[in-house]
Amino acid sequence: MSPAARPVGTDSRARGGAPAEAGRPRPILLIEDTPSLQMVYRSVLASAGHRVAVAGTAAEGLTRFGEVLPNVVLLDLMLPDRDGLDLMQDMLRLRPETNVIVITANGSINKAVEAMRAGAHEFLVKPFDEQRFLGAVENASIARETRQLRRPLPEPNAPPPPTSAFLGSSETMARIHAKIRSAARSMATVFITGESGTGKELCALAVHDTSPRASGPFIALNCGAIPQDLLESEVFGHVKGSFTGAIADKPGAAAAADGGTLFLDEICEMAPALQTKLLRFLQTSMVQPVGATRPRKVNVRIVCATNRDPLDAVRRGQFREDLYYRLFVVPIHMPPLRERGNDVIEIAEAALARFAAEEGREFFGLDAEVTALFRRHPWPGNVRQVLNVIRNIVVLNDGGLVTMRMLPDAFTDHLELPQEEPPTPAAPTDELTADSLIGRTLAEIEQIVIEATIARHGGSVPKAARVLDVSPSTLYRKRDAWKS
């Protein structure tokens, strides 16, 4: 079963996790009382390069929370000593900026909805696969990092902040920078399009940071990550007692962004009923929380984004045409990384320096082979994929120059990497028979078979790796060992 499809919400204990070290990201705190699931969740997170602190009870979880001060918490709502929702509220009172991902079983979805209303970042319903699990963690981490990135720039015509999505000297990005500077000075709505991972939220942040509103709040809301029955409350807020679980007044994203910028990501995922209310808000600037009797006026600049074709969504009847024309005033298209030329090298090298500093490692850059590969690779995951690959390299290697052998298996499995001159095989590879192998050690036989397979496929290590059902990086490491 492939990693993306392997279920991780179904069952198998590892305790641990250390307080955050200077210069390193804080561990993710996992609070789960089932030992088997503790082990599975922690293994998946560790394989993705995350450090994990684990607790099995609510009491232990609150103690570990105070020790490691995590930015992201994975919380099972069904704990043996206390209700998980009460624990979450205690943690958010201590550190409101924490992003809590709640985990629940099928029969407790109402509990998860209640948790979302009380401030949870997202919820997962068991069983879920690795891709969904890691995606939720990544989104929570990115949301936290994006908030930390917000800062005003000293001059109105200065370029956007040098985040990974905006590094690069390509002509394409120069045009993006110019459009951002022009759009930032106005109150016009900005509509950002582009593939997943191209940096749409960071583009929105750049619009905010180069605008006169830079000192005000930047509030981001992902319309596709919030259940539709909660989205109205998330956008416009609610008053205490307006529905079950509304234990306190909540201002909502629109009111929280008063004087600043409201970023609505994945806008095409918004339900039609809420699209109507959003259109009314854009026309009147009036916010009326769920359960409130009177609206209030707010001063908000709207930036929205989608990875879909918004006009196609209009044609399909999934997005209101009048809302489309109200939002699509200043369009900015974030180009895929494959259209940005040498920008990928600048992004990779900047990420390498940043991650190496966080992890306390010393890397000197990319070697010529890796640089050539990165330039010609299509990068379907765009900037996000580059950051993932570089993070993996930094976490799993001690330092030095980044070489082909350091690339993650998941990245190299389907690549045609540059061919090398194979080392002299330990035995002729024209014909392999049982008789020709008898009397040799198992290590010698392995080398003979591997070199013969590579030779049969024209010297292509990736093709040989597919035949042998191993990762190309495994074969590269073995060949390096044979040379030494």
Side-chain angles (χ1 to χ4, degrees), residues 82-101:
R82 190 181 176 196
D83 183 79
L85 182 57
D86 292 340
L87 173 61
M88 184 192 76
Q89 291 170 337
D90 281 352
M91 291 189 293
L92 291 179
R93 273 192 289 269
L94 292 170
R95 297 189 78 235
E97 68 272 24
T98 306
N99 284 336
V100 181
I101 301 171

Side-chain angles (χ1 to χ4, degrees), residues 109-110 113-114 116-117 123 226-234 243 271 274 290:
I109 293 179
N110 289 340
V113 172
E114 186 179 353
M116 291 290 290
R117 287 170 172 161
F123 72 87
I226 300 172
Q228 294 293 348
D229 57 341
L230 294 180
L231 194 52
E232 181 178 1
S233 171
E234 290 293 323
F243 50 79
L274 191 55
V290 177

Side-chain angles (χ1 to χ4, degrees), residues 61-282:
L62 193 57
T63 299
R64 298 293 283 145
F65 182 82
E67 292 172 349
V68 302
L69 300 176
N71 294 329
V72 178
V73 175
L74 288 158
L75 173 65
D76 193 318
L77 290 179
M78 306 300 290
L79 297 172
D81 57 334
R82 190 181 176 196
D83 183 79
L85 182 57
D86 292 340
L87 173 61
M88 184 192 76
Q89 291 170 337
D90 281 352
M91 291 189 293
L92 291 179
R93 273 192 289 269
L94 292 170
R95 297 189 78 235
E97 68 272 24
T98 306
N99 284 336
V100 181
I101 301 171
V102 298
I103 301 173
T104 185
N106 274 309
S108 306
I109 293 179
N110 289 340
K111 194 78 170 176
V113 172
E114 186 179 353
M116 291 290 290
R117 287 170 172 161
H121 178 77
E122 192 171 346
F123 72 87
L124 298 172
V125 179
K126 301 175 185 176
F128 41 81
D129 60 34
E130 284 188 25
Q131 187 175 15
R132 175 77 177 97
F133 181 59
L134 292 175
V137 172
E138 181 185 5
N139 288 338
S141 301
I142 289 173
R144 164 78 184 188
E145 290 173 3
T146 300
R147 288 197 298 269
Q148 292 177 330
L149 282 170
R150 177 167 51 84
R151 58 191 181 277
L153 296 181
E155 297 187 14
N157 289 327
T163 56
S164 295
F166 286 93
L167 284 173
S169 52
S170 66
E171 185 179 341
T172 303
M173 286 307 295
R175 288 195 296 268
I176 296 290
H177 294 162
K179 184 171 281 193
I180 287 173
R181 287 194 296 271
S182 298
R185 294 192 292 266
S186 78
M187 271 291 289
T189 302
V190 176
F191 201 123
I192 306 167
T193 57
E195 297 176 6
S196 179
T198 52
K200 295 187 292 296
E201 182 165 350
L202 291 173
C203 178
L205 188 60
V207 171
H208 172 78
D209 281 344
T210 53
S211 76
R213 296 173 167 265
S215 59
F218 176 87
I219 304 297
L221 194 67
N222 189 324
C223 301
I226 300 172
Q228 294 293 348
D229 57 341
L230 294 180
L231 194 52
E232 181 178 1
S233 171
E234 290 293 323
V235 176
F236 299 117
H238 62 250
V239 297
K240 182 179 179 180
S242 57
F243 50 79
T244 303
I247 58 177
D249 288 352
K250 181 173 182 176
D258 195 8
T261 302
L262 174 61
F263 174 54
L264 298 174
D265 198 7
E266 304 305 340
I267 185 73
C268 288
E269 307 305 319
M270 183 176 283
L274 191 55
Q275 291 179 29
T276 303
K277 295 183 179 180
L278 177 62
L279 180 61
R280 188 182 308 120
F281 165 65
L282 293 172

Side-chain angles (χ1 to χ4, degrees), residues 144-476:
R144 164 78 184 188
E145 290 173 3
T146 300
R147 288 197 298 269
Q148 292 177 330
L149 282 170
R150 177 167 51 84
R151 58 191 181 277
L153 296 181
E155 297 187 14
N157 289 327
T163 56
S164 295
F166 286 93
L167 284 173
S169 52
S170 66
E171 185 179 341
T172 303
M173 286 307 295
R175 288 195 296 268
I176 296 290
H177 294 162
K179 184 171 281 193
I180 287 173
R181 287 194 296 271
S182 298
R185 294 192 292 266
S186 78
M187 271 291 289
T189 302
V190 176
F191 201 123
I192 306 167
T193 57
E195 297 176 6
S196 179
T198 52
K200 295 187 292 296
E201 182 165 350
L202 291 173
C203 178
L205 188 60
V207 171
H208 172 78
D209 281 344
T210 53
S211 76
R213 296 173 167 265
S215 59
F218 176 87
I219 304 297
L221 194 67
N222 189 324
C223 301
I226 300 172
Q228 294 293 348
D229 57 341
L230 294 180
L231 194 52
E232 181 178 1
S233 171
E234 290 293 323
V235 176
F236 299 117
H238 62 250
V239 297
K240 182 179 179 180
S242 57
F243 50 79
T244 303
I247 58 177
D249 288 352
K250 181 173 182 176
D258 195 8
T261 302
L262 174 61
F263 174 54
L264 298 174
D265 198 7
E266 304 305 340
I267 185 73
C268 288
E269 307 305 319
M270 183 176 283
L274 191 55
Q275 291 179 29
T276 303
K277 295 183 179 180
L278 177 62
L279 180 61
R280 188 182 308 120
F281 165 65
L282 293 172
Q283 293 168 340
T284 65
S285 297
M286 302 294 288
V287 172
Q288 184 164 354
V290 177
T293 57
R294 293 183 179 178
R296 55 165 291 199
K297 195 174 187 68
V298 295
N299 179 10
V300 173
R301 200 258 181 90
I302 301 292
V303 179
C304 56
T306 182
N307 58 13
R308 297 170 57 185
D309 178 351
L311 195 54
D312 182 63
V314 171
R315 295 190 192 103
R316 293 172 179 269
Q318 298 167 344
F319 198 71
R320 289 181 61 114
E321 186 175 16
D322 48 2
L323 180 59
Y324 168 80
Y325 287 115
R326 182 62 180 78
L327 292 172
F328 206 79
V329 180
V330 180
I332 296 179
H333 180 70
M334 288 300 298
L337 196 53
R338 61 184 175 272
E339 296 177 5
R340 291 176 54 182
N342 204 50
D343 286 358
V344 62
I345 305 303
E346 296 181 44
I347 293 169
E349 289 178 341
L352 183 66
R354 177 161 66 93
F355 294 153
E358 290 177 359
E359 298 290 340
R361 310 283 171 86
E362 189 172 3
F363 284 84
F364 308 123
L366 314 176
D367 77 2
E369 284 185 295
V370 173
T371 299
L373 173 62
F374 277 19
R375 283 197 182 107
R376 69 173 183 267
H377 186 64
W379 296 105
N382 292 297
V383 176
R384 189 175 294 145
Q385 184 184 6
V386 177
L387 300 182
N388 178 278
V389 169
I390 298 299
R391 172 73 80 178
N392 180 283
I393 290 169
V394 171
V395 169
L396 299 181
N397 296 276
D398 294 330
L401 200 63
V402 175
T403 65
M404 289 289 200
R405 283 82 188 163
M406 296 181 183
L407 297 177
D409 292 349
F411 180 69
T412 60
D413 277 347
H414 304 292
L415 291 179
E416 283 299 317
L417 300 180
Q419 298 180 10
E420 296 180 347
E421 285 296 324
T424 304
T429 59
D430 294 337
E431 292 186 11
L432 291 180
T433 64
D435 288 340
S436 69
L437 299 177
I438 291 175
R440 297 184 179 275
T441 66
L442 190 59
E444 289 175 330
I445 294 172
E446 179 186 57
Q447 182 177 358
I448 292 169
V449 171
I450 287 174
E451 294 298 348
T453 306
I454 292 172
R456 178 166 294 182
H457 290 85
S460 170
V461 173
K463 287 181 180 178
R466 284 195 285 273
V467 171
L468 296 170
D469 196 23
V470 296
S471 167
S473 56
T474 299
L475 298 189
Y476 276 111

